[in-house]
C-alpha cells in the first residue's frame, strides 16, 4: 500500500453515511492494516462535519467481520470494535466498511468487555433486510471478540500499543 493516507468510509447497510475520515497508514501486517488518526483530524459523523478530539488507531483486519479502534486516555473505552462487513478496498487509499451496529467494547478502568447495540442490530436487521448470512457472521464475530478482548488474544493485548504511541 504505497499511499500514506487512507480514506476510511463507514456506511450503514442502507447506504447512509456513518463515518468518513482520513487516516495515516502506519503499517500492514498479518493482523491487517493499521491506520492512525490524530486529534484535530477533520471527519464526518452521521453526515455532519466533525473534528476528532482524541487520537486513535484503527485496525482493519484482512477478511474479518469487524474493525478495532484502540484509544488512549481519557477515552473510557480502551478498545472499541465495530462489527462490520469485511473491508472493501478501492485502490490502496480508500477502505469501505458497512457498519452492522453491534459493538464489542473493553472498558479502560475495569477491563469489562461488553456487547453493545443489540437493540439497534435487531431493528436494522428488519428495517434494512440484513441477509441471514450477514446476521450469522455478525453474531459469530461478536462472540469471538467478546472472548478475545478478555483473554489477551492479540491484537487486543499489546500489539496496538506501538502504533497508538505514534498518534498520541
Amino acid at each position: 500500500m504505497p499511499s500514506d493516507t487512507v480514506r476510511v468510509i463507514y456506511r450503514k447497510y442502507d447506504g447512509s453515511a456513518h463515518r468518513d475520515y482520513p487516516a495515516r497508514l502506519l503499517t500492514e501486517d498479518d493482523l491487517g492494516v493499521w491506520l492512525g488518526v490524530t486529534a484535530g483530524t477533520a471527519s464526518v459523523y452521521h453526515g455532519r462535519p466533525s473534528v476528532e478530539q482524541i487520537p486513535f488507531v484503527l485496525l482493519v483486519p484482512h477478511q474479518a467481520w469487524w474493525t478495532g479502534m484502540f484509544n488512549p486516555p481519557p477515552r473510557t473505552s480502551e478498545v472499541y470494535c465495530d462489527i462490520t462487513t469485511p473491508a472493501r478496498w478501492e485502490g490502496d487509499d480508500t477502505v469501505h466498511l458497512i457498519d452492522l451496529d453491534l459493538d464489542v467494547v473493553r472498558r479502560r478502568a475495569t477491563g469489562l468487555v461488553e456487547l453493545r447495540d443489540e437493540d439497534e442490530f435487531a431493528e436494522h436487521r428488519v428495517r434494512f433486510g440484513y441477509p441471514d448470512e450477514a446476521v450469522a457472521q455478525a453474531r459469530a464475530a461478536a462472540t469471538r471478540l467478546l472472548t478475545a478482548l478478555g483473554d489477551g488474544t492479540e491484537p487486543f493485548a499489546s500489539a496496538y500499543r506501538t502504533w497508538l504511541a505514534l498518534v498520541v
Side-chain angles (χ1 to χ4, degrees), residues 33-48:
V33 178
W34 294 89
L35 304 170
V37 177
T38 56
T41 298
S43 62
V44 176
Y45 188 67
H46 292 289
R48 292 186 216 116

Side-chain angles (χ1 to χ4, degrees), residues 7-28:
R7 182 176 175 198
V8 179
I9 303 171
Y10 284 88
R11 295 198 176 278
K12 288 297 189 174
Y13 197 81
D14 68 345
S16 62
H18 185 49
R19 290 187 309 239
D20 188 332
Y21 54 85
R24 182 169 49 115
L25 175 64
L26 300 174
T27 195
E28 182 173 0

Side-chain angles (χ1 to χ4, degrees), residues 16 18-19 30 54 64 66 83 89 107 160:
S16 62
H18 185 49
R19 290 187 309 239
D30 60 321
I54 300 172
W66 58 272
I83 304 301
W89 287 89
R107 296 290 167 203
Y160 68 92

Side-chain angles (χ1 to χ4, degrees), residues 1 7 19 23 29 39 58 65 70-71 85 98 100 109 112 117 119 136 145:
M1 299 183 70
R7 182 176 175 198
R19 290 187 309 239
D29 62 19
L58 181 73
W65 285 74
F70 301 89
N71 305 304
T85 58
I98 305 296
L100 295 174
L112 174 70
D117 297 333
D119 54 342
L145 288 168

Side-chain angles (χ1 to χ4, degrees), residues 7-154:
R7 182 176 175 198
V8 179
I9 303 171
Y10 284 88
R11 295 198 176 278
K12 288 297 189 174
Y13 197 81
D14 68 345
S16 62
H18 185 49
R19 290 187 309 239
D20 188 332
Y21 54 85
R24 182 169 49 115
L25 175 64
L26 300 174
T27 195
E28 182 173 0
D29 62 19
D30 60 321
L31 296 169
V33 178
W34 294 89
L35 304 170
V37 177
T38 56
T41 298
S43 62
V44 176
Y45 188 67
H46 292 289
R48 292 186 216 116
S50 183
V51 175
E52 297 300 328
Q53 300 299 309
I54 300 172
F56 62 91
V57 167
L58 181 73
L59 173 61
V60 179
H62 303 294
Q63 297 304 311
W65 285 74
W66 58 272
T67 59
M69 183 169 47
F70 301 89
N71 305 304
R75 257 205 189 121
T76 58
S77 60
E78 181 180 15
V79 181
Y80 195 105
C81 294
D82 285 296
I83 304 301
T84 68
T85 58
R88 181 179 61 81
W89 287 89
E90 184 181 332
D92 58 7
D93 62 355
T94 304
V95 62
H96 296 271
L97 301 143
I98 305 296
D99 182 278
L100 295 174
D101 313 309
L102 293 175
D103 305 302
V104 179
V105 179
R106 183 170 68 211
R107 296 290 167 203
R108 181 176 313 287
T110 63
L112 174 70
V113 177
E114 59 188 346
L115 178 62
R116 300 189 57 202
D117 297 333
E118 291 178 272
D119 54 342
E120 184 180 356
F121 178 74
E123 176 188 333
H124 286 173
R125 177 185 183 187
V126 172
R127 184 191 310 166
F128 301 148
Y130 292 172
D132 290 343
E133 175 66 14
V135 170
Q137 292 286 355
R139 287 189 173 144
T143 298
R144 284 191 300 277
L145 288 168
L146 282 165
T147 300
L149 267 70
D151 72 4
T153 299
E154 289 297 1

